[in-house]
Amino acid sequence: ERDLICMSEPITVTGMVLAATPVGDYDKRMVILTRERGKITAFARGARKSTSPYLAIANPFVFGSFQLFEGRTAYTLSQANIREYFTELAAKQPGVYYGFYFLEIADYYGREGNRETDMLNLLYITMKALIRGRISNRLIRAIFEMRAMMINGEYPRLFECGICGRTEDLTFLSLEASGCICSNCRKQVKDGISVSTSALYALQYMVATPMEKIYTFTLKPEVEREVTRWVKRYIDRYTDKRFKSLEILEVMDS
């Protein structure tokens, strides 16, 4: 729905376009995750015209600063200074679908009015990691999912037993206990599965290491399978949405 423009001074926000959909004959409706105002809706007038200055701007993955006029329920784009278009992602198959999935997760968790610095930084470095291709897309996905849940306070307890708090002999994982359990508490949960030392260390590293270092390690295939399988089970339990891009990914990666 179109919104009235408040003809005050424009605001400038830093963000990434999560989604862009056609509206009317020539416009686009953009969902932008911004550092300063959280997830917002902005209209790019005439963005679908071949002569529009917004033609390349009103697209998913575009990252930069956006100058906006504020309306009652949405914003109107007036200009932008783009830092990254991430156009290289389009050539990555199935990498681009991982990218769309990460945008969907950010959209799912994003709220208007929140400061979204951490999620925005995570999106930026994750798109860079997808393009570099130094680690597998599946591992990138697991790391992104864990950090996204961590940003939103939903990550598992991985450094102590979720039942007794013990920090040693953490040999099982449980969705019921939301993380690790020690061998003494194994019988207190119904869904405990054994976890290798290497997989547990990888999971701990994924949540504890500084953001700029999260995509700097690789795992042996069997450890990667163990880690990615459990992270998938965990996010499936703690999100109540079926992500469209994930359905495409599961077909392409099967």
Side-chain angles (χ1 to χ4, degrees):
E1 184 181 337
R2 290 173 180 257
D3 200 359
L4 294 173
I5 302 172
C6 177
M7 297 309 293
S8 58
E9 288 296 308
I11 64 161
T12 300
V13 295
T14 298
M16 182 178 283
V17 180
L18 303 182
T21 52
V23 176
D25 292 333
Y26 298 110
D27 301 346
K28 273 191 173 181
R29 176 183 179 272
M30 303 158 65
V31 178
I32 309 173
L33 188 73
T34 71
R35 182 172 292 150
E36 299 83 358
R37 300 205 173 191
K39 187 175 77 170
I40 64 171
T41 297
F43 289 94
R45 306 296 186 201
R48 290 154 63 208
K49 292 181 180 178
S50 60
T51 56
S52 172
Y54 307 143
L55 190 64
I57 293 169
N59 291 299
F61 305 113
V62 170
F63 177 89
S65 59
F66 300 86
Q67 193 177 91
L68 308 165
F69 285 104
E70 187 172 1
R72 285 182 295 107
T73 60
Y75 298 81
T76 299
L77 182 65
S78 65
Q79 63 184 70
N81 181 17
I82 303 307
R83 179 173 163 185
E84 291 279 359
Y85 291 93
F86 290 111
T87 49
E88 307 99 312
L89 263 181
K92 297 277 186 181
Q93 300 289 343
V96 68
Y97 293 103
Y98 280 93
F100 279 118
Y101 171 53
F102 302 149
L103 294 184
E104 274 197 88
I105 289 184
D107 193 352
Y108 173 80
Y109 282 124
R111 297 288 180 272
E112 187 163 4
N114 283 1
R115 281 193 67 82
E116 294 286 0
T117 302
D118 289 342
M119 183 62 86
L120 202 54
N121 289 346
L122 178 61
L123 279 174
Y124 184 84
I125 65 169
T126 302
M127 299 311 170
K128 288 285 192 184
L130 281 174
I131 290 167
R132 279 197 304 269
R134 291 176 188 164
I135 66 176
S136 75
N137 289 334
R138 291 183 186 191
L139 182 55
I140 290 173
R141 171 183 166 181
I143 295 168
F144 181 90
E145 289 170 335
M146 286 287 275
R147 292 303 283 230
M149 287 188 287
M150 180 179 170
I151 289 166
N152 288 276
E154 296 175 345
Y155 62 102
R157 294 175 66 181
L158 295 168
F159 292 90
E160 69 282 319
C161 175
I163 295 173
C164 73
R166 190 177 172 206
T167 57
E168 297 173 349
D169 195 26
L170 303 175
T171 50
F172 295 91
L173 288 169
S174 163
L175 296 178
E176 192 181 320
S178 188
C180 295
I181 46 174
C182 67
S183 54
N184 290 348
C185 296
R186 166 68 182 87
K187 293 181 179 178
Q188 296 188 45
V189 295
K190 296 175 183 176
D191 68 341
I193 58 168
S194 62
V195 60
S196 68
T197 304
S198 298
L200 179 58
Y201 179 75
L203 289 166
Q204 291 172 336
Y205 186 89
M206 284 156 64
V207 299
T209 196
M211 183 91 76
E212 64 273 13
K213 294 183 179 178
I214 56 174
Y215 295 118
T216 59
F217 72 99
T218 57
L219 299 173
K220 292 180 179 177
E222 63 274 16
V223 179
E224 183 177 303
R225 279 193 297 272
E226 189 179 357
V227 166
T228 55
R229 191 180 300 126
W230 194 78
V231 174
K232 181 183 183 302
R233 290 177 63 211
Y234 191 84
I235 196 167
D236 284 349
R237 182 182 175 105
Y238 287 95
T239 54
D240 56 7
K241 176 181 168 66
R242 184 66 186 160
F243 298 101
K244 292 178 185 176
S245 46
L246 197 51
E247 295 175 6
I248 298 169
L249 268 182
E250 286 171 353
V251 170
M252 294 185 78
D253 264 4
S254 60

